[in-house]
Amino acid sequence: MRAWGAVLGGLVLVLVVLTGCAGPYQYYEGTGVHDATAAEVAGAWENIEGTRVVLRKDGTAQVEALDGSDFAFEDGWRLFGTGTWRLADEKGGQRVWLELTKRTKVTTRSPSPSPSPSAVPVAPTPTADPPSVYSWGFYVRRDQRDELELFFFVGDPDIGNTYVVSREAESSTEAP
């Protein structure tokens, strides 16, 4: 009986270890949005960090200060350049696939605000050589007003932090 208890305890321990590192991103299947059109996605997108992404109707894109996704976000670089994009309808929902094909500039992200006045902000350490080409997979979701938002995960996947870009205030579905 003790042997069975040890085996069962061992199996439970293995399952806990295997599932303990599985954060929200690792099992994320998408937003369930399947009704967005390429014309609706085309336009200018921004976030509060100064990122700007222009998705043109002809499938070309302009990228300004866009951070890396997943663990690359922690490297602190921000890319500028041109590329292509496409809207894909996948099982879990739609995604915008953005490819930076020509990098024109690289900057680094500013340090995050300190959590307290006495804390010293720490700037991210950029990698020695930021990528000259890069790909992002933005998930497509709708906000409370039924407006589109695009996002991807950043940092440690166990945490589930998202990087959200919203329609630029002056932008319409008519992209430049």
Side-chain angles (χ1 to χ4, degrees):
M1 199 58 140
R2 286 185 107 170
W4 279 108
V7 169
L8 183 58
L11 286 174
V12 168
L13 180 61
V14 167
L15 286 174
V16 167
V17 168
L18 290 175
T19 60
C21 295
Y25 171 67
Q26 293 173 327
Y27 294 114
Y28 193 72
E29 294 183 16
T31 62
V33 171
H34 294 280
D35 64 346
T37 64
E40 187 178 12
V41 172
W45 299 85
E46 65 184 354
N47 76 5
I48 61 171
E49 299 289 326
T51 296
R52 186 167 190 262
V53 177
V54 178
L55 306 174
R56 295 185 185 93
K57 287 184 178 184
D58 66 359
T60 61
Q62 180 74 33
V63 173
E64 298 173 12
L66 186 54
D67 295 273
S69 61
D70 299 320
F71 283 112
F73 179 80
E74 295 171 359
D75 292 335
W77 45 255
R78 309 188 86 202
L79 300 177
F80 294 71
T82 58
T84 61
W85 72 278
R86 66 182 173 84
L87 177 64
D89 196 359
E90 300 173 357
K91 182 180 176 184
Q94 290 174 298
R95 291 186 77 179
V96 172
W97 292 100
L98 175 60
E99 304 284 332
L100 180 76
T101 56
K102 181 179 180 188
R103 184 182 80 190
T104 58
K105 182 179 173 183
V106 177
T107 61
T108 55
R109 188 171 53 255
S110 298
S112 302
S114 299
S116 70
S118 62
V120 176
V122 177
T125 305
T127 58
D129 188 21
S132 57
V133 296
Y134 195 77
S135 300
W136 295 267
F138 288 90
Y139 291 96
V140 177
R141 70 179 174 201
R142 293 196 180 274
D143 66 13
Q144 302 86 345
R145 297 180 318 268
D146 207 32
E147 301 287 329
L148 288 184
E149 287 182 331
L150 307 178
F151 72 96
F152 55 80
F153 290 96
V154 295
D156 185 339
D158 291 338
I159 297 171
N161 289 331
T162 57
Y163 189 97
V164 179
V165 292
S166 301
R167 176 83 52 202
E168 189 174 83
E170 303 85 42
S171 179
S172 67
T173 56
E174 294 298 315

